């Protein structure tokens, strides 16, 4: 009986090791085929990292322009951008005595220390 239980245990361990080996090979083949597919699209994945091949040359000037454009969009979308617009509106209101908000369709006018909305 001892030899039979040893044979069953070794068989189970052998099947598990063989199954792990087959699974590892399948995963390795899938990763390799994915790398090759990405390489045909211009993305090279290696142990050192990822590199993307493009047709367009991207120089420093274009990089700075795009960075500044993105920064300006972020400021406009933030509360700081709206606060700056509000400060400009207040300055225009104090200077001219009136301010027209084209987005909301409001026209404000100052008359002797109080604001009237039309």
């Amino acid at each position: 009986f001892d030899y039979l239980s040893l044979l069953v245990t070794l068989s189970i361990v052998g099947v598990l090791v063989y199954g792990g080996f087959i699974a590892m090979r399948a995963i390795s083949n899938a990763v390799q085929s994915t790398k090759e597919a990405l390489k045909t699209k211009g993305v090279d994945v290696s142990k050192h990292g990822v590199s993307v091949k493009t047709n367009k040359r991207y120089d420093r000037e274009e990089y700075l322009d795009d960075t500044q454009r993105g920064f300006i969009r972020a400021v406009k979308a933030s509360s700081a951008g709206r606060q700056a617009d509000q400060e400009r509106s207040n300055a225009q209101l104090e200077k001219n005595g009136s301010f027209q908000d084209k987005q909301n369709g409001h026209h404000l006018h100052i008359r002797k220390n109080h604001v009237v909305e039309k």
Side-chain angles (χ1 to χ4, degrees):
F1 182 72
D2 289 335
Y3 291 116
L4 182 63
S5 63
L6 176 64
L7 184 64
V8 170
T9 303
L10 289 177
S11 298
I12 291 173
V13 170
V15 167
L16 290 176
V17 169
Y18 182 72
F21 180 72
I22 296 295
M24 189 173 70
R25 188 186 303 173
I27 291 171
S28 177
N29 289 340
V31 167
Q32 192 62 31
S33 67
T34 303
K35 281 183 182 181
E36 290 172 7
L38 287 173
K39 196 168 196 169
T40 60
K41 293 180 181 181
V43 179
D44 186 22
V45 181
S46 68
K47 64 181 178 181
H48 300 292
V50 177
S51 63
V52 179
K53 188 184 296 184
T54 61
N55 295 331
K56 183 180 176 189
R57 302 280 301 169
Y58 201 62
D59 63 1
R60 179 173 165 69
E61 187 70 27
E62 290 172 338
Y63 171 76
L64 290 175
D65 288 346
D66 287 347
T67 304
Q68 288 173 347
R69 200 173 301 117
F71 182 74
I72 289 171
R73 286 181 187 147
V75 168
K76 284 183 179 179
S78 71
S79 61
R82 288 192 295 269
Q83 183 179 1
D85 289 341
Q86 183 64 36
E87 288 173 4
R88 278 196 297 270
S89 301
N90 290 343
Q92 183 182 1
L93 186 60
E94 290 174 6
K95 181 180 176 186
N96 299 337
S98 69
F99 170 73
Q100 185 170 359
D101 184 1
K102 293 179 183 176
Q103 279 185 330
N104 298 325
H106 298 292
H107 184 79
L108 301 176
H109 188 73
I110 294 180
R111 288 190 187 155
K112 297 199 182 189
N113 298 333
H114 67 278
V115 176
V116 178
E117 183 174 342
K118 294 182 181 178

